[in-house]
Amino acid sequence: MSIPGKIVPEALKTLGKDNATVSYPKDKRTMPDRFRGAVEFEPEPCTGCGMCERHCAADAIVVEADADGNVTWSYDVAKCMFCGQCEESCPTDAIVMGKEFELAASDKPAFEDSYTFKR
Amino acid sequence: MSEKASGTEIPVGPQHPSLKEPANFTLTVDGEVITGAQMKLSYNHRGIEQAVLSKSYIEAIYLLERICGICSHAHTSAFTQGVEELLDLEVPPRARYIRTLIGELERIHSHMLWLGVAGHEIGFDTLWQYAWRDREIVMDLLEEITGNRVHYSINTIGGVREDLTDEHCETILEGMDDLAERIDFYQETVPNEETVRMRCEDVGVVPEDLAREYCAVGAVGRASGVPTDVRKDAPYAAYDDVDFDVITDDRGDLLARTVVRIGEIAQAIRIIRQVAKRIPEGDLKASAKPPQALLAQVPEDDVVSRYEAPRGELIHYVRADGTDTPARVHIRVPTLANWPTVVESLKGSYIADTPIVVAGIDPCISCTSRIGVETDGNHGGENAFDLDELREYGIEWYDDRSDVERPSLDGDERTVSGGTRGDRA
Amino acid sequence: MSLELDLATGLLYLLVFPGFAFLFVYGLTAEYLDRKLYARLQNRVGPPVVQPLADFLKLLAKESAVPEDATARIYNAAPWTGLAGVFTAMLYVPVWSEQAAFAFEGDLVVVLFLLSLPSFSLFFGGWYSGNVFSRIGTTRTITQLFGYEIPFFLACFAPAVAAGTLSTSGIVAFVEANPLYVFVLLPAFAIALLSLQAKLERIPFDIPEAETELATGALVEYSGRKLALFRLTKDVELVVGAALLSALFLGGPAPAGAIEGSVGLVAGVVVFFVKTLTVIALLTVLKAVVARLRIEQMVDVFYRVLVPVALVQIALVLAVGLYTNGVIP
Ligand code: SF4
Ligand code: SF4
C-alpha cells in the first residue's frame, strides 16, 4: 500500500497556471483557416445546376427554377450540419464555407437565406 | 448496518446521473453487493440506418459521421472503405496516411475523454479536469487540420478532402511532444495512485475465456489478454506501413483497461509522429471524376468493412443495388459487442462500482441503439428475440397492417446463407 | 464565567459573534474559498465570491417539495436539527481567546456530540424521504459514522489526556502553555483531519452522497429551503470542525492569546482565521488529489489504520506526560 496523493505536486504546480479556458463571450478564439462555419453564397457564378441541393444530406439547400428562367437558391442554416460537401460539389465556386459560428437566433426566418436571380 | 433484505432492486437509468445516455440496469442487491443484473437498451432509436437508405453514398458519409460524436472518423472511414471496395478504387498513399493520422488523433481524443470520465466516475474529479484539458491539444490539431473539432468530414469516396501542409506536420509534431509529456505523467501517476488502485484493481474483472466467449472487442478484449486489433489483423489505411504495438494486459480488470488505454495513446503518438515525418507525396483522391460520376458506377454487390474504432472493432455492412443510394447499411458498433461482459462483471461487484464498471468499456450508448436488445448475460432475457421470433414478429406486424407495403424478400437468401455469422461455442 | 453572564452578552454571543451571524457569513465564505481553491487546483476558473450566497438565496426562493412517500414530520424537521447542532457547538469552541463563549468541564464531549447531529439529521431526513437512493445513502451515512467517530473521538481525546481536562478551553490553555505539544499531537491532528473530511462527506469519503452512484444519496428528495438548510449546515460544520481542530491541536489563539486588551482580541481573531483557513485548505487539497473510496474500504482504513494510530498516539501522550513530570527519566 502506497500513500495516496500521487498528484499533489502536479496539483500545487497547477495553482500557478493560467486559466485553461477563454472567458467567452468577453474573449474569443480565432478560428483556424479551414474552419467551416455558415455557408456563404454568391449568386453571380451560380448556374442553378442543383448539385449542392443534391449532395446536401441535411436538405439545407433548395434550388428551384421557374419557367421564366428565374433560379431561387435558398439555404437554412438551422438545418445545415456544416459538412462542406456543397462547397465541394459546386462546379462554379458559388458556395464557400464561411467563418461565422455564432448563429443562434430566436425566430425561424432569421435562419433562412434566399436569393432569386435570372439565368 | 447493511440492509439485510436480499432482493432489493435498484433501477439505474434510463435517466441517472452516472449515465449520460439512456440505458437501464436493474440491479438486484444484497446490502452493498450486486447479486444480479439486467440491462435494457435502445431508449434512443435514431433510425439512422434507415435514413441512410434515402440518401446517396456521398450524403450517407455525413449522416453516418453523426452516429457518434467521438468516433466520427471511424464511421466515415469504415463506410467509405466499404464503398471503395465496391467501386474497386485504389486510394492513393497520401490519402491513406491522412486517414491514419486523423484516426489516431481521434483515438487519443477518445481515450483521453474516457480517462476523464473514468476519473469522474470514481470521484476523482481532478483527473477528469486534467485529462480533458490536455485533450484540447488534439482537439485543436484536429480543428486546424480538418476545420472541425468533432465532425472532421475529411473522408470522401476514394480519398480525403483536405491536404496536410508542411506547417501542419510541424504543429502536429510540436503538439505530440507536449502530449507525450502529459501521457508520461498519466502513465506514471494514474495506475500508481493508491486510491485509484483501490477503486479499480480487481473490479469488473473479465477473464480471458469470458472475453473470448462474449467476443469482447477493443481495449476491453485487449485488457483481458485477447490481442484483437483490426489495425494488425486486417490492416487498412496506412497501418501496414507504420510501426506500433498492440497493447495487452492479462489482468482483465479496470486498472488493466486504464493501463491499456493510456498505453494506446502513447502508441497513437508514435504512429502520428511517423505519419507526420514520412507522409508520401501524391494525390488525395483515387479519381478526379466529380462525385456524382463515381456514384453512377456503384455495382450491385455487398461488402463488409471493418475498422478499429477507439472502442474496438466497428463493422459496416453495405449492400448496393446498382443505384446511387445504398440498399442496406448495417452497423455493428463496438459497444454492442462489449455489453455482455458488463452485465457479467457487474454480478458480485459493489453498487459503488456500477458506474465505473459500466464506464469501463467506454460505452457509447446512443450509437448502440438499433433494436431492442435485452440481456442478463445468459444470451437473452425473457423479452429477447431470436432470429426466427423476430421474423415471425415482422410478418405479424405486416399482417396487421394491410396498408403498409411489405419489403421485398429478394435479397433474403443471400443474407441468411452469407458466411458472416461466426460459430458460437 | 458562564454563570454570571448577563442576558445581553449571552444573546450577543448567540446571535452575532461567534454565533449565528458570524457563522453564517464565515460558513459561506469558507465554502467560497473551498470551491475556489478546489477549482484552481484543477485548473478551472472557479465561482465568484457571491456564488455561495446566491446559491443559498436561490434555494430559499424555490419550492420545497415533500414527497408523497415521505414521513412529513421527520422529513421537515431533520434539516433544522443538524443546523441547530452545529450552531450550538460553536459556542463551546474558543475563538479569540482560550475561553469559549460558554465553557464547563466536559464541554468537549458535548461539542463532539453536537457535531454528530448533522449526520443523524441527514440519516432521519434521508430515511424518511421514502426513496431508494436516499435509503442507501443513509445506510452509508450511518456506516460511515461508525467508521470515523471512534478514531475522531480518540484523536480528540489525545490532547484532553495531555491536558488532563475534558474542557476545550482548558485544552487550549494547556497547549498554549506547552506549545511543543503541537508536534507531539501531529498524528492525532492528521487523524482528526481525515475524520472531519469523512464527517463532512467530502472526497475521498463522499460515499453517502456519491453523485455518480447515488445522485447525492440522502438529499435526493430535498429541494428548496430544506436543501438550503442542509447545505448551510455543511458549511457551518466545516467552519466549526476547523475551529475545533485548530483549538485542540494547533493551540487555538496562540501566540496571540498572551496579548492583553483589545489588541489581543483582534490578534486572536486574526490567528483564528489563519488557523481555521489552514485546516480548510488542507481539507480542500485532500479532496482534490484522491479518488472516492468504497464504503467498506473507508471503514477498513479507519479501523485498521487510524484506530491503532490513535491508540498509539494516546500512549505516546501519556508517556510524554510522565516524562515531563519526571515520573520516568
Ligand atoms: S455544409 Fe453540408 S449540410 Fe450545410 S448546406 Fe452544405 S452540404 Fe448541406
Ligand atoms: S451553388 Fe453551385 S452547385 Fe448549387 S446550383 Fe449554384 S452552381 Fe450549382
Side-chain angles (χ1 to χ4, degrees), chain C residues 209-266:
Chain C
E209 58 178 66
E211 183 215 332
T212 48
E213 295 157 24
L214 294 179
T216 68
L219 292 182
V220 103
E221 291 290 355
Y222 277 99
S223 57
R225 197 175 62 240
K226 298 190 208 65
L227 182 60
L229 290 180
F230 268 121
R231 295 191 40 173
L232 182 63
T233 308
K234 275 272 147 68
D235 292 345
V236 174
E237 198 183 354
L238 175 66
V239 169
V240 177
L244 180 68
L245 258 56
S246 76
L248 291 182
F249 302 102
L250 303 178
I259 309 170
E260 292 293 320
S262 56
V263 184
L265 184 71
V266 173

Side-chain angles (χ1 to χ4, degrees), chain B residues 267-409:
Chain B
Q267 291 301 321
I269 294 178
R270 200 172 143 199
I271 298 176
I272 292 168
R273 282 180 168 153
Q274 295 174 47
V275 170
K277 280 186 192 140
R278 33 169 241 248
I279 178 163
E281 293 299 323
D283 291 338
L284 292 181
K285 289 180 192 163
S287 128
K289 286 184 201 153
Q292 199 56 37
L294 270 181
L295 297 188
Q297 295 170 354
V298 183
E300 204 182 323
D301 199 355
D302 63 354
V303 68
V304 170
S305 168
R306 303 202 291 158
Y307 182 95
E308 184 70 21
R311 286 162 185 70
E313 180 192 41
L314 167 72
I315 299 175
H316 275 226
Y317 166 77
V318 183
R319 191 163 84 219
D321 57 2
T323 65
D324 68 352
T325 55
R328 177 79 173 102
V329 173
H330 180 68
I331 300 144
R332 204 296 313 271
V333 294
T335 304
L336 187 65
N338 282 334
W339 277 130
T341 63
V342 172
V343 175
E344 205 52 37
S345 54
L346 271 179
K347 292 176 193 163
S349 308
Y350 293 93
I351 303 175
D353 291 331
T354 317
I356 183 64
V357 171
V358 172
I361 65 160
D362 198 1
C364 195
I365 294 170
S366 295
C367 305
T368 317
S369 294
R370 310 252 171 265
I371 55 167
V373 178
E374 181 174 294
T375 167
D376 61 355
N378 294 321
H379 310 299
E382 58 188 69
N383 295 335
F385 285 106
D386 68 19
L387 199 58
D388 290 333
E389 285 164 348
L390 204 57
R391 180 185 301 260
E392 216 164 276
Y393 174 80
I395 292 170
E396 259 170 47
W397 193 90
Y398 282 105
D399 282 347
D400 292 349
R401 294 166 180 76
S402 49
D403 52 329
V404 186
E405 198 193 331
R406 264 172 219 271
S408 137
L409 294 173

Side-chain angles (χ1 to χ4, degrees), chain A residues 2 4-7 10-11 14 29 32 34-36 51 54-57 59 81 83-85 88, chain B residues 55 59 62 66 124 130 143 145-148 151-153 161-163 168 182 185 193-194 285 292:
Chain A
S2 65
K6 270 266 179 314
I7 66 164
E10 178 74 18
T14 308
R29 300 175 52 216
R34 287 182 179 174
F35 177 75
R36 298 189 301 269
M51 220 53 216
R54 192 152 176 188
H55 285 171
C56 176
D59 298 337
M81 55 190 186
C83 62
Q85 181 62 40
E88 183 166 322
Chain B
K55 301 280 171 190
E59 290 162 273
Y62 306 110
R66 278 153 183 82
F124 199 172
Y130 288 175
E143 192 179 28
I145 302 168
T146 68
N148 198 304
H151 293 308
Y152 323 116
S153 301
R161 292 172 46 190
E162 299 277 3
D163 200 0
H168 282 145
R182 300 303 302 162
F185 162 73
E193 160 65 33
E194 184 62 27
K285 289 180 192 163
Q292 199 56 37

